[in-house]
Amino acid sequence: MSAPVGVFDSGVGGLSVLQEIQQLLPSESLLYVADSAYVPYGEKPPEQIRERSRLIARFLFEQGAKALVLACNTATAAAINELRGEFDMPIIGMEPAVKPAALATRNGVVGVLATTGTLQSAKFAALLDRFAGSVRVLTQPCPGLVECVERGELNGPEVEALLQRYTAPLLAAGCDTLILGCTHYPFLRPALQRILPAQIQVVDTGAAVARQLQVRLAESGLLAEPGQAITRFWSSGDPQLMGSILPTLLKVDGAVDILPV
Ligand code: DGL
């Protein structure tokens, strides 16, 4: 079996990216870490996110990871530069899909749903400078949504009330395209689409990150040979809780081990 790819997030949100990787690259074995003891990252200081990201990247490296996917917009904004300086392996990050949304919008008004940490980062400011062009980009931090997904709550009154509250100002301002700028939010897509007018386009970056991983592995001669792949899970929080939520999010059962960092 070829060496695995490490994937991590503050919690279960990165499973939305893991799913895309499994679909595109079914022969790649994957090691997934949920830093559930520290979720949400979105309201935490960047120094703390950097420290957690370094510890988890080291753990995955020591487990034999040949590449790392930061399946977290907030951790990418806070830590990817440092990680790339420290670890000698391909490191793929995520950022809100501003470029595709700027191409897709018909009326030139785009909304971004993301964490406070992502929206306040220098990386996000640079992304807007580079790709927004003449498109008006409105941002909306969404405290509380990540916690719902962490509880496995993808529908229901609380989720709907939060989604209504966060999308209302963006719709009122005329956005015709919404960016899901946090890897937890794709799990709320069905609930979101129930409350959005049909003409609103919703974009996220999971599939693009899987394609980027494929390109980087191919460039480095690291793609796995066709064959049986395994996926292992760790959580720094309650592994039983994560184990009970996994089948809701991924349609697979999996044992979850305790992350020793
Ligand atoms: N899923 C993460 C992201 O993409 C972080 C969510 C959080 O922990 O606040 O930003």
Side-chain angles (χ1 to χ4, degrees):
M1 194 188 71
S2 148
V5 174
V7 181
F8 99 87
D9 179 43
S10 60
V12 293
L15 296 172
S16 66
V17 181
L18 182 115
Q19 206 164 269
E20 299 286 352
I21 297 172
Q22 284 178 324
Q23 220 167 309
L24 185 70
L25 302 167
S27 300
E28 295 296 339
S29 289
L30 304 173
L31 310 177
Y32 185 88
V33 168
D35 196 13
S36 317
Y38 291 82
V39 70
Y41 277 4
E43 309 295 320
K44 294 201 166 52
E47 308 73 56
Q48 188 179 12
I49 299 169
R50 268 195 287 282
E51 183 53 23
R52 292 303 302 163
S53 301
R54 288 183 59 242
L55 287 170
I56 294 166
R58 171 135 320 274
F59 171 77
L60 288 167
F61 193 60
E62 286 168 2
Q63 296 295 314
K66 62 184 175 185
L68 184 65
V69 177
L70 270 71
C72 177
N73 294 264
T74 316
T76 300
I80 197 163
N81 294 344
E82 285 73 9
L83 296 183
R84 284 188 172 140
E86 189 170 334
F87 295 95
D88 185 18
M89 58 177 162
I91 299 184
I92 292 98
M94 330 237 347
E95 52 193 19
V98 171
K99 186 181 174 189
L103 293 171
T105 178
R106 293 173 296 255
N107 69 358
V109 190
V110 163
V112 188
L113 303 171
T115 68
T116 307
T118 296
L119 296 175
Q120 287 181 348
S121 68
K123 251 196 174 332
F124 183 69
L127 186 70
L128 290 185
D129 278 350
R130 197 153 165 229
F131 295 118
S134 59
V135 167
R136 192 166 158 233
V137 179
L138 304 170
T139 59
Q140 176 63 56
C142 305
L145 285 184
V146 164
E147 289 87 335
C148 290
V149 178
E150 288 294 316
R151 291 194 296 271
E153 200 180 312
L154 310 182
N155 291 291
E158 185 178 349
V159 167
E160 279 186 20
L162 287 170
L163 290 173
Q164 291 275 11
R165 186 192 315 160
Y166 294 140
T167 55
L170 301 176
L171 297 178
C175 292
D176 73 348
T177 306
L178 285 185
I179 299 172
L180 304 184
C182 167
T183 53
H184 282 74
Y185 304 166
F187 290 117
L188 301 174
R189 210 185 244 262
L192 186 60
Q193 272 165 339
R194 272 197 297 279
I195 65 162
L196 287 179
Q199 73 277 13
I200 306 294
Q201 314 177 80
V202 177
V203 294
D204 75 80
T205 26
V209 166
R211 288 195 297 273
Q212 179 64 10
L213 172 65
Q214 183 181 40
V215 168
R216 296 291 305 280
L217 291 178
E219 276 170 3
S220 315
L222 290 172
L223 276 173
E225 297 293 327
Q228 187 70 27
I230 57 147
T231 300
R232 289 188 64 188
F233 301 95
W234 285 267
S235 166
S236 60
D238 179 350
Q240 275 184 347
L241 177 67
M242 183 173 162
S244 68
I245 293 169
L246 267 183
T248 316
L249 303 176
L250 265 193
K251 311 288 171 245
V252 295
D253 285 311
V256 180
D257 294 317
I258 297 177
L259 180 75
V261 295

Short mmCIF file of all heavy atoms in Angstrom, two decimals, residues 9-10 13 39-43 71-74 115 118 146 181-184, ligand 1:
data_model
loop_
_atom_site.label_atom_id
_atom_site.label_comp_id
_atom_site.label_asym_id
_atom_site.label_seq_id
_atom_site.Cartn_x
_atom_site.Cartn_y
_atom_site.Cartn_z
N ASP A 9 -8.93 19.14 9.98
CA ASP A 9 -9.83 20.27 10.18
C ASP A 9 -9.99 20.45 11.69
O ASP A 9 -9.60 19.59 12.48
CB ASP A 9 -11.20 19.97 9.53
CG ASP A 9 -12.21 21.10 9.73
OD1 ASP A 9 -11.82 22.27 9.58
OD2 ASP A 9 -13.37 20.82 10.05
N SER A 10 -10.62 21.57 12.06
CA SER A 10 -10.93 21.79 13.47
C SER A 10 -11.90 20.72 13.99
O SER A 10 -11.97 20.48 15.19
CB SER A 10 -11.58 23.16 13.64
OG SER A 10 -12.77 23.22 12.87
N GLY A 13 -15.91 19.15 9.77
CA GLY A 13 -16.16 19.87 8.51
C GLY A 13 -15.31 19.37 7.37
O GLY A 13 -15.78 19.23 6.23
N VAL A 39 -12.44 22.90 18.58
CA VAL A 39 -13.41 23.47 17.66
C VAL A 39 -14.33 24.43 18.43
O VAL A 39 -14.64 24.15 19.59
CB VAL A 39 -14.23 22.34 16.97
CG1 VAL A 39 -15.20 21.63 17.91
CG2 VAL A 39 -14.92 22.82 15.73
N PRO A 40 -14.76 25.57 17.92
CA PRO A 40 -14.46 26.10 16.59
C PRO A 40 -13.15 26.89 16.57
O PRO A 40 -12.80 27.55 17.53
CB PRO A 40 -15.65 27.03 16.34
CG PRO A 40 -16.04 27.53 17.71
CD PRO A 40 -15.74 26.41 18.65
N TYR A 41 -12.44 26.79 15.44
CA TYR A 41 -11.24 27.61 15.23
C TYR A 41 -11.62 29.06 14.91
O TYR A 41 -10.83 29.97 15.10
CB TYR A 41 -10.45 27.08 14.04
CG TYR A 41 -9.52 25.91 14.30
CD1 TYR A 41 -9.43 25.28 15.54
CD2 TYR A 41 -8.70 25.43 13.26
CE1 TYR A 41 -8.57 24.20 15.73
CE2 TYR A 41 -7.84 24.37 13.45
CZ TYR A 41 -7.78 23.76 14.68
OH TYR A 41 -6.92 22.70 14.85
N GLY A 42 -12.83 29.22 14.35
CA GLY A 42 -13.21 30.50 13.74
C GLY A 42 -13.13 31.71 14.64
O GLY A 42 -12.95 32.83 14.17
N GLU A 43 -13.28 31.50 15.95
CA GLU A 43 -13.25 32.64 16.87
C GLU A 43 -11.95 32.64 17.69
O GLU A 43 -11.83 33.39 18.65
CB GLU A 43 -14.45 32.57 17.83
CG GLU A 43 -15.81 32.38 17.15
CD GLU A 43 -16.22 33.55 16.29
OE1 GLU A 43 -16.00 34.71 16.70
OE2 GLU A 43 -16.74 33.32 15.17
N ALA A 71 -7.98 20.85 5.39
CA ALA A 71 -9.39 20.90 4.94
C ALA A 71 -10.15 21.91 5.80
O ALA A 71 -11.23 21.62 6.31
CB ALA A 71 -10.00 19.51 5.02
N CYS A 72 -9.57 23.09 5.92
CA CYS A 72 -10.09 24.11 6.82
C CYS A 72 -9.64 25.48 6.31
O CYS A 72 -8.43 25.73 6.22
CB CYS A 72 -9.53 23.86 8.22
SG CYS A 72 -10.02 25.09 9.43
N ASN A 73 -10.59 26.31 5.97
CA ASN A 73 -10.24 27.66 5.48
C ASN A 73 -9.56 28.48 6.56
O ASN A 73 -8.62 29.24 6.29
CB ASN A 73 -11.52 28.39 5.04
CG ASN A 73 -12.17 27.74 3.83
OD1 ASN A 73 -11.97 28.14 2.71
ND2 ASN A 73 -12.97 26.70 4.07
N THR A 74 -10.04 28.32 7.80
CA THR A 74 -9.52 29.14 8.90
C THR A 74 -8.06 28.76 9.20
O THR A 74 -7.20 29.65 9.40
CB THR A 74 -10.39 28.94 10.17
OG1 THR A 74 -11.77 28.98 9.79
CG2 THR A 74 -10.11 30.00 11.19
N THR A 115 -15.93 31.82 8.50
CA THR A 115 -15.69 32.12 9.91
C THR A 115 -15.11 33.53 10.06
O THR A 115 -14.54 34.10 9.09
CB THR A 115 -14.70 31.12 10.55
OG1 THR A 115 -13.41 31.33 9.98
CG2 THR A 115 -15.15 29.69 10.34
N THR A 118 -11.37 33.55 9.12
CA THR A 118 -11.08 33.58 7.68
C THR A 118 -11.31 34.98 7.12
O THR A 118 -10.46 35.53 6.40
CB THR A 118 -11.98 32.57 6.93
OG1 THR A 118 -11.66 31.25 7.37
CG2 THR A 118 -11.81 32.65 5.43
N VAL A 146 -21.00 26.07 12.74
CA VAL A 146 -20.02 24.97 12.91
C VAL A 146 -20.47 24.07 14.07
O VAL A 146 -20.45 22.83 13.96
CB VAL A 146 -18.62 25.56 13.17
CG1 VAL A 146 -17.67 24.52 13.73
CG2 VAL A 146 -18.06 26.15 11.87
N GLY A 181 -17.59 29.40 2.49
CA GLY A 181 -16.15 29.58 2.77
C GLY A 181 -15.69 28.88 4.02
O GLY A 181 -14.71 29.31 4.64
N CYS A 182 -16.36 27.81 4.40
CA CYS A 182 -15.96 27.01 5.57
C CYS A 182 -16.35 25.59 5.25
O CYS A 182 -17.45 25.34 4.71
CB CYS A 182 -16.71 27.51 6.81
SG CYS A 182 -16.61 26.39 8.24
N THR A 183 -15.46 24.63 5.56
CA THR A 183 -15.70 23.26 5.11
C THR A 183 -16.85 22.57 5.86
O THR A 183 -17.31 21.51 5.44
CB THR A 183 -14.42 22.41 5.24
OG1 THR A 183 -13.92 22.52 6.58
CG2 THR A 183 -13.37 22.89 4.27
N HIS A 184 -17.31 23.15 6.95
CA HIS A 184 -18.50 22.59 7.62
C HIS A 184 -19.78 22.87 6.81
O HIS A 184 -20.75 22.12 6.90
CB HIS A 184 -18.67 23.21 9.01
CG HIS A 184 -17.75 22.65 10.06
ND1 HIS A 184 -16.41 22.96 10.10
CD2 HIS A 184 -17.98 21.82 11.10
CE1 HIS A 184 -15.85 22.34 11.13
NE2 HIS A 184 -16.79 21.65 11.76
N1 DGL B 1 -14.11 24.11 8.95
C1 DGL B 1 -13.28 25.20 9.21
C2 DGL B 1 -13.15 26.17 8.04
O1 DGL B 1 -13.19 25.74 6.91
C3 DGL B 1 -13.26 25.85 10.57
C4 DGL B 1 -14.51 26.00 11.31
C5 DGL B 1 -14.27 26.40 12.75
O2 DGL B 1 -13.70 25.58 13.47
O3 DGL B 1 -14.61 27.52 13.11
O4 DGL B 1 -12.97 27.35 8.21
#
